[in-house]
């Protein structure tokens, strides 16, 4: 086959482009990984610095349509505000069908800035407890829920108090690791939330160590004056959420904590992320905020 000089030149140029593309492919892959591990940016959302965590967080605030500074409001704190759950909450609270139940509720979302995969493990996973004693984590990105709890209670709640008129009724909503943190808040000696919402909580973390935390709590406290909504999906076998949720359900029912209003739901045919929307549909319509 005879190839003209123009065609030969085109083949050469094409081969050069292909070679350069292959050479830059690893760099592109690295850039994609960096982007995928970072929280979505929203420069219009204010941030709040924590002296306890030594990091800043994006704070998403959604006021009800007829907000007035002369009215007092309940506050619903939700985690992972710039991830899937946070976006789904903001979508659903704007639906007309939810307006009546949420007309006196301010939603406050907390979002990580940076590599949320590492930061969620840092902030939502408790330290390991053994024989009633906590072992401080040596990993700066794992097991520091105690610091995040201080940020929540001593920094974020006062910040909201100073800027909005609230009635002292607080709700916590978390999913996965932040669902585990909902249980961590539940097992504190001073309960500050009237509602704890734990969607597909990662109770299996640290080889089910949270059950040690619950045992320790039960030895000191026999009352939980709060509402706990706890859900998971029937397909959550491989991620250990289903079996650990069933174990926690049986534990809490057996304890008979005074004042605990406990609703446990297994959503048929739902996986880890599928639980979020169906659970929120119920919560936002039915929960007494």
């Amino acid at each position: 086959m005879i190839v003209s000089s123009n065609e030969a030149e085109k083949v050469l140029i094409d081969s050069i482009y292909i070679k350069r593309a292959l050479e830059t492919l690893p760099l592109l892959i690295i850039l994609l990984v960096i982007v995928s591990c970072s929280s979505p940016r929203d420069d219009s959302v204010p941030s709040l610095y924590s002296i306890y965590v030594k990091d800043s967080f994006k704070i998403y605030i959604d006021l009800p349509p007829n907000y007035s500074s002369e009215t007092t409001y309940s506050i619903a704190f939700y985690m992972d505000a710039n991830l899937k759950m946070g976006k789904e909450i903001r979508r659903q609270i704007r639906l007309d069908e939810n307006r009546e139940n949420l007309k006196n509720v301010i939603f406050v979302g907390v979002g990580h800035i940076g590599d949320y995969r590492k930061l969620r493990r840092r902030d939502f996973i408790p330290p390991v407890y053994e024989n009633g004693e906590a072992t401080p984590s040596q990993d700066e990105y794992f097991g520091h829920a105690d610091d995040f709890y201080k940020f929540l209670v001593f920094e974020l709640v006062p910040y909201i108090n100073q800027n909005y008129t609230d009635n002292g009724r607080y709700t916590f909503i978390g999913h996965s690791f932040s669902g585990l943190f909902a249980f961590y808040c539940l097992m504190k000696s001073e309960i500050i939330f009237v509602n704890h919402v734990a969607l597909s909580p990662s109770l299996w973390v640290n080889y089910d160590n949270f059950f040690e935390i619950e045992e320790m709590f039960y030895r000191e406290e026999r009352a939980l004056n709060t509402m706990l909504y706890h859900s998971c999906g029937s397909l959550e076998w491989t991620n250990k959420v289903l079996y650990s949720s069933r174990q926690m359900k049986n534990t809490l029912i057996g304890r008979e904590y005074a004042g605990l209003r406990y609703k446990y739901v297994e959503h048929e045919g739902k996986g880890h992320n599928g639980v979020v929307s169906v659970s929120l549909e119920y919560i936002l319509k039915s929960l007494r905020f």
Side-chain angles (χ1 to χ4, degrees), residues 12-24:
L12 177 61
I13 292 173
D14 288 345
S15 66
I16 291 172
Y17 279 128
I18 291 171
K19 184 172 183 284
R20 288 179 178 174
L22 290 174
E23 288 173 347
T24 59

Side-chain angles (χ1 to χ4, degrees), residues 80 120 174-181 199-203 272:
D80 303 318
R120 294 177 79 245
H175 171 246
S176 194
F177 283 138
S178 59
L180 168 66
F181 187 81
L199 312 181
S200 296
S202 303
L203 297 164
H272 196 56

Side-chain angles (χ1 to χ4, degrees), residues 130-230:
E130 188 174 1
N131 299 322
E133 297 291 332
T135 302
S137 175
Q138 300 303 309
D139 185 341
E140 65 174 316
Y141 291 113
F142 191 95
H144 297 283
D146 46 346
D147 292 331
F148 187 79
Y149 182 80
K150 292 173 185 175
F151 158 68
L152 190 64
V153 175
F154 300 122
E155 293 175 322
L156 182 56
V157 169
Y159 172 80
I160 297 301
N161 291 159
Q162 292 170 8
N163 291 279
Y164 303 95
T165 53
D166 72 72
N167 57 19
R169 288 182 59 85
Y170 305 137
T171 293
F172 182 93
I173 305 173
H175 171 246
S176 194
F177 283 138
S178 59
L180 168 66
F181 187 81
F183 272 94
Y184 183 71
C185 294
L186 182 72
M187 298 297 164
K188 305 297 283 186
S189 57
E190 183 180 358
I191 296 178
I192 66 169
F193 299 105
V194 296
N195 299 303
H196 295 76
V197 177
L199 312 181
S200 296
S202 303
L203 297 164
W204 52 267
V205 166
N206 286 328
Y207 302 99
D208 299 334
N209 185 250
F210 191 81
F211 291 92
E212 175 82 13
I213 298 176
E214 189 280 330
E215 175 68 31
M216 179 182 64
F217 178 82
Y218 183 70
R219 288 198 294 266
E220 301 294 331
E221 305 283 347
R222 297 299 173 90
L224 281 172
N225 296 310
T226 186
M227 163 68 185
L228 170 61
Y229 177 91
H230 173 192

Side-chain angles (χ1 to χ4, degrees), residues 2 43 100-101 170 190 276 280:
I2 300 174
D43 295 331
E100 180 60 29
N101 194 45
Y170 305 137
E190 183 180 358
V276 174
L280 291 177

